Amino acid sequence: MIKNTDIFLREHGIKPSYQRKRIYEYLNEHRIHPTANDIYTALVGEIPTLSKATVYNTMNLFARCGLVDVIPIEGHEARFDPHPEAPHAHFRCTCCQKVYDVPLSFPEEAIEEALSQCQIDTFNINFTGVCKECLARNEA
Amino acid sequence: MIKNTDIFLREHGIKPSYQRKRIYEYLNEHRIHPTANDIYTALVGEIPTLSKATVYNTMNLFARCGLVDVIPIEGHEARFDPHPEAPHAHFRCTCCQKVYDVPLSFPEEAIEEALSQCQIDTFNINFTGVCKECLARNEA
DNA sequence: GTCTCTGCAAATCGTTTGCAATGCT
DNA sequence: AGCATTGCAAACGATTTGCAGAGAC
């Protein structure tokens, strides 16, 4: 598995340092759309010298190389999403602050029609509200 | 027209100070989804004592009272949108940095299906790319 | 040995807040 | 007079950057 991360990073032109490997593995193992601080907090126990600067630099590198998306969702911190094959939306629960993936996409034609003649590079769809779990907990 | 702004603000429980009126009028006259800094720069000539703090405080007040939406779109600055009746998407041109309205919405049923049992409070849809004008200019 | 990566600390940028001065009723 | 609003300046929180030391090839 570690070997795979190595190869994967190299394939994307990223030199696989220990920090970069562990950050990438964390992203893949914890699909919670973590903030930079989440990543730092999770890994600093294991890599005591880790600095937030490295986390930020690494995430920017990953984003530049197309390994992760930065998802602009309400709230002051950026959240990162390992680049998924299938386009999907995000739902942020304003109660527990978790960000969920939502399998939802536009019909191509609708986009074509609304944005004809424009070059579309990225798109993202965000919902906010209260998730099932929080609704249930609050009703109890 | 000025009278109308007065009444409109009062109807939303906002005391219509000169600054607030001018900021609201600016938002309505310039539907470019301005940043706080855009608003400040545009109005400080006319209101020399205006401070950014007042712009931020006013935008937060407007947002709390439902007069404007804050649109979370890639980029480090918040952008404001006078609350529109019809839901619509946004398209940000990475070339000229303008943010356009896009008349596009999900079929209700698709949302229901994907997010059943959740309480949905807000949603927003953002595209980034290059707009018609910039494409034309760059090809020339 | 060179070139890259890390990580501290300081800088930066957007935004918020404390508070005294001002304005409105 | 009494309460709300303004606007300066300082505080803040997330992110970026300069740079010296550590590490990789």
Side-chain angles (χ1 to χ4, degrees):
Chain A
M1 192 52 122
I2 284 170
K3 200 63 199 156
N4 287 352
T5 304
D6 249 80
I7 292 168
F8 181 81
L9 291 179
R10 254 188 251 279
E11 277 171 359
H12 285 79
I14 294 170
K15 204 179 278 186
S17 75
Y18 182 60
Q19 286 83 339
R20 289 170 179 176
K21 282 190 284 189
R22 290 302 298 123
I23 290 174
Y24 186 73
E25 284 163 6
Y26 177 81
L27 279 173
N28 260 327
E29 285 157 18
H30 302 82
R31 302 218 158 222
I32 57 168
H33 311 87
T35 63
N37 196 56
D38 291 338
I39 300 169
Y40 172 78
T41 308
L43 294 178
V44 74
E46 176 186 344
I47 314 172
T49 63
L50 186 65
S51 79
K52 285 194 187 181
T54 299
V55 176
Y56 280 111
N57 290 336
T58 302
M59 296 318 295
N60 287 343
L61 177 66
F62 284 1
R64 232 180 303 122
C65 297
L67 267 70
V68 300
D69 279 339
V70 178
I71 61 180
I73 198 164
E74 282 159 65
H76 17 257
E77 292 170 271
R79 288 174 173 275
F80 303 97
D81 194 14
H83 216 173
E85 303 69 39
H88 61 272
H90 293 109
F91 175 85
R92 182 169 63 85
C93 175
T94 49
C95 178
C96 64
Q97 304 299 328
K98 283 204 194 98
V99 174
Y100 298 89
D101 283 337
V102 180
L104 182 67
S105 185
F106 275 110
E108 293 269 340
E109 318 87 55
I111 298 179
E112 279 303 321
E113 193 191 321
L115 285 168
S116 62
Q117 298 179 276
C118 296
Q119 171 192 320
I120 301 172
D121 294 332
T122 70
F123 78 95
N124 67 81
I125 304 168
N126 310 316
F127 297 86
T128 66
V130 184
C131 71
K132 275 188 256 194
E133 285 75 17
C134 287
L135 283 176
R137 190 174 335 109
N138 295 340
E139 273 160 20
Chain B
M1 193 52 119
I2 286 170
K3 199 64 198 154
N4 286 353
T5 305
D6 249 80
I7 292 168
F8 180 82
L9 292 179
R10 253 189 253 277
E11 278 172 358
H12 286 78
I14 295 170
K15 204 179 278 188
S17 76
Y18 182 61
Q19 286 84 338
R20 288 170 179 176
K21 281 190 286 190
R22 291 302 298 123
I23 290 174
Y24 187 74
E25 283 163 7
Y26 176 82
L27 279 173
N28 259 328
E29 285 158 19
H30 303 84
R31 301 218 160 221
I32 55 169
H33 313 85
T35 63
N37 197 54
D38 290 338
I39 300 169
Y40 173 78
T41 309
L43 294 178
V44 73
E46 176 187 341
I47 314 172
T49 63
L50 186 65
S51 79
K52 284 194 187 181
T54 299
V55 175
Y56 279 109
N57 289 336
T58 302
M59 296 318 296
N60 287 342
L61 177 66
F62 284 1
R64 231 179 303 124
C65 297
L67 267 69
V68 300
D69 278 339
V70 179
I71 61 179
I73 197 166
E74 282 160 67
H76 16 258
E77 293 170 89
R79 289 175 172 273
F80 302 97
D81 194 15
H83 216 174
E85 302 71 37
H88 61 272
H90 293 109
F91 175 85
R92 182 168 61 84
C93 175
T94 49
C95 177
C96 65
Q97 302 299 327
K98 282 202 195 101
V99 174
Y100 297 88
D101 284 336
V102 180
L104 180 67
S105 185
F106 274 109
E108 293 269 340
E109 317 87 56
I111 299 179
E112 279 303 320
E113 193 191 320
L115 285 167
S116 62
Q117 299 179 274
C118 296
Q119 171 191 321
I120 302 172
D121 296 331
T122 70
F123 79 94
N124 67 80
I125 304 168
N126 310 318
F127 297 87
T128 66
V130 184
C131 71
K132 275 188 254 192
E133 286 74 17
C134 287
L135 283 176
R137 190 176 334 110
N138 294 341
E139 275 161 18

